[in-house]
Every structure is written in C-alpha cells, then in structure tokens.
Amino acid sequence: MDEHRIFLIGSLTLIAFGNLLKKIYEDMQIKVNTPANLTQKIMVYSAHDSTVAALLKTMKIFNDRTPTYSSCVMIELHDNNTVRILYRNDTFTDDIVTLTLPGCSEFCDIDQFHTILNDSMPSDWRKACGLSDANEQNFKNNILGYSVMACIIFLLTLLVVTICCIYQRQRKQYRYMELPTDMAES
C-alpha cells in the first residue's frame, strides 16, 4: 500500500485518476447516445499497475492489494445501459472477479454509476489544477515570446558565423610572406 500513497491523496486522485474515470464515463455516454453502427464496440485503455490501483481507489472499490503484472479492470457497458466492473488480478489463473460499486448491484444503471462516482470526477480539470484562462493565455504568450527569442538567437548565431568566415577569408589574403633566402643574402 505504501507505494500507492503518493498518488492516492484527495485532490491529486481527483485530478489524475478522476479525469480518467470521467473520460471512461463520457465514452460510455457517447455509446449510449449514438446509434450502434456509428460507434466503436470496445474502448481499451492501457496502464501500469499503479494506475489500475488508483483507478480502483477512485472508484471506491480498491482492496489495498497491489495489482499484479497483467492485471486489468474491465468496465462493461451493456445494451440495457447498465455497467458491470470486472477485475482480473492474477496472471496464473483465469479467475475474473465482479466488483460492485458501493450502493449498487453487479449491473449498475449508468445514471446510478455516474451519481455514485460523480464526486470522484472533476467537473473542470483545469480549475482543479489551478489553471485559468489567464494562465493559458500567459502560456501562449510565453511560447510566442520564446519562439521569437529562439529565431533571434538563431539569426545572431548565423550572423556571427558569417562574419567569422569572411574575416578568415580576408586574413588568408594578407598573410605574412617570407622573403626568398637567395634575395636576402645579396
């Protein structure tokens, strides 16, 4: 459990893994609201064991046991708009465990799924991260400023290299030349 504490702190969980949970929920909503022939049949998200643990913690169904290699969480959306959560946490067996959200049954209505987990999903991740539109505008202005500065530095470097090449070429034309020795003796 200790290795997971770093990211299982309230606001960080909400920002990082609540955002993943929100993405999964939004993808399910798209599937519910779109004709079957126009949407994907499966959405697959790949992650490390720590992300699997954090997702389960965010969904309030983590048992404090570190997920093993190749463990996976399967969140199924069924035709009757119910959600079922399955978990495979052992590489050496084919055992799949059904996980139940607190206050829900094995097959949880998608609206109830959202109600139970809504407080774990940030409504605005930018705000949760402390970002505002002003910060985003400052970021865009900084990028523009850095780009202009990089171009100026590049042009100055090109100018210095050009001046050095010209100086070297002129210096070779006015080199000191030794007098022939036979003329010097006479």
Side-chain angles (χ1 to χ4, degrees), residues 16 64 94 113 118 127 147 164:
D64 291 332
D94 291 332
F113 176 86
N118 190 42
K127 192 174 185 179
S147 300
C164 287

Side-chain angles (χ1 to χ4, degrees), residues 84-185:
R84 182 168 71 161
I85 304 167
L86 303 171
Y87 182 51
R88 181 173 178 263
N89 191 22
D90 194 344
T91 306
F92 302 107
T93 68
D94 291 332
D95 294 342
I96 296 176
V97 178
T98 300
L99 301 177
T100 306
L101 292 176
C104 213
S105 61
E106 177 181 347
F107 290 92
C108 187
D109 181 71
I110 192 166
D111 294 327
Q112 189 176 5
F113 176 86
H114 182 260
T115 301
I116 292 169
L117 298 176
N118 190 42
D119 64 331
S120 298
M121 295 184 253
S123 56
D124 183 1
W125 70 268
R126 290 181 188 279
K127 192 174 185 179
C129 286
L131 297 176
S132 65
D133 291 337
N135 288 345
E136 190 172 331
Q137 188 59 40
N138 287 341
F139 177 75
K140 288 179 182 176
N141 290 342
N142 287 343
I143 292 294
L144 179 63
Y146 292 141
S147 300
V148 169
M149 222 171 15
C151 288
I152 290 171
I153 290 171
F154 173 75
L155 291 173
L156 286 174
T157 305
L158 189 63
L159 180 66
V160 168
V161 168
T162 304
I163 289 172
C164 287
C165 288
I166 291 171
Y167 177 74
Q168 280 296 102
R169 190 176 303 154
Q170 288 178 352
R171 197 168 158 229
K172 286 181 181 178
Q173 291 175 358
Y174 300 110
R175 281 197 321 202
Y176 172 77
M177 294 177 23
E178 288 186 38
L179 291 174
T181 54
D182 58 342
M183 288 179 74
E185 292 177 7

Side-chain angles (χ1 to χ4, degrees), residues 20-73:
L20 173 61
L21 184 58
K22 183 177 181 181
K23 171 72 171 133
I24 292 169
Y25 172 73
E26 287 171 349
D27 287 342
M28 288 192 296
Q29 280 298 107
I30 290 170
K31 181 68 177 174
V32 166
N33 297 320
T34 308
N37 61 342
L38 298 178
T39 61
Q40 298 170 319
K41 291 188 179 263
I42 186 171
M43 297 291 291
V44 178
Y45 304 91
S46 179
H48 291 282
D49 59 340
S50 57
T51 306
V52 169
L55 178 64
L56 292 172
K57 180 75 171 182
T58 304
M59 294 172 70
K60 304 167 189 155
I61 51 178
F62 185 52
N63 63 2
D64 291 332
R65 293 179 61 206
T66 304
T68 60
Y69 181 75
S70 79
S71 60
C72 67
V73 176

